[in-house]
């Protein structure tokens, strides 16, 4: 029986973390990536990536990283009034 896969990006950070922790516990018990993937609801390749990071860095390796662009990184409008100039052009 296969559990329906959902887009994990739509889950809360805590739910994502729980999936990763559960996957590592199941792998520690000797289950294969494909078996764990079915139970957790992710791709076997994802379990493999998590496992590699876990073996390399421990629990820190499976922590959820910050997503998206850093604040102010590669912004298009300048802080010296660029916003106002853009609005006036529209």
């Amino acid at each position: 029986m296969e559990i329906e896969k959902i887009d994990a990006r739509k889950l809360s950070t805590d739910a994502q973390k729980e999936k990763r922790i559960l996957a590592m516990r199941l792998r520690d018990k000797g289950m294969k990536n494909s078996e764990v993937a079915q139970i957790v609801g992710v791709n076997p390749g994802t379990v493999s990536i998590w496992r590699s990071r876990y073996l390399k860095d421990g629990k820190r390796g499976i922590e959820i990283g910050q997503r998206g662009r850093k604040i102010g990184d590669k912004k298009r409008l300048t802080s010296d009034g660029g916003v106002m100039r853009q609005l006036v052009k529209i």
Side-chain angles (χ1 to χ4, degrees):
M1 183 174 109
E2 187 172 332
I3 295 178
E4 181 181 341
K5 294 179 185 172
I6 59 170
D7 187 351
R9 295 172 296 185
K10 295 181 180 180
L11 297 174
S12 70
T13 303
D14 289 337
Q16 291 177 24
K17 187 175 180 179
E18 287 300 318
K19 277 186 176 279
R20 292 177 183 199
I21 291 170
L22 174 60
M24 293 308 99
R25 286 184 182 153
L26 295 173
R27 285 289 287 129
D28 287 343
K29 289 184 178 185
M31 294 182 78
K32 296 178 182 178
N33 286 344
S34 57
E35 296 169 330
V36 172
Q38 285 182 342
I39 292 169
V40 178
V42 297
N43 188 295
T46 301
V47 176
S48 178
I49 291 168
W50 292 345
R51 183 68 174 172
S52 296
R53 291 179 184 166
Y54 179 72
L55 292 175
K56 181 181 174 196
D57 300 320
K59 284 190 177 184
R60 288 185 61 196
I62 58 171
E63 287 179 359
I64 309 297
Q66 183 176 351
R67 294 203 169 95
R69 203 166 48 188
K70 293 179 183 176
I71 296 174
D73 188 35
K74 298 184 181 180
K75 60 183 179 180
R76 293 179 169 203
L77 303 177
T78 63
S79 60
D80 65 348
V83 173
M84 189 57 76
R85 282 196 302 270
Q86 288 293 328
L87 290 174
V88 170
K89 288 181 181 180
I90 297 175

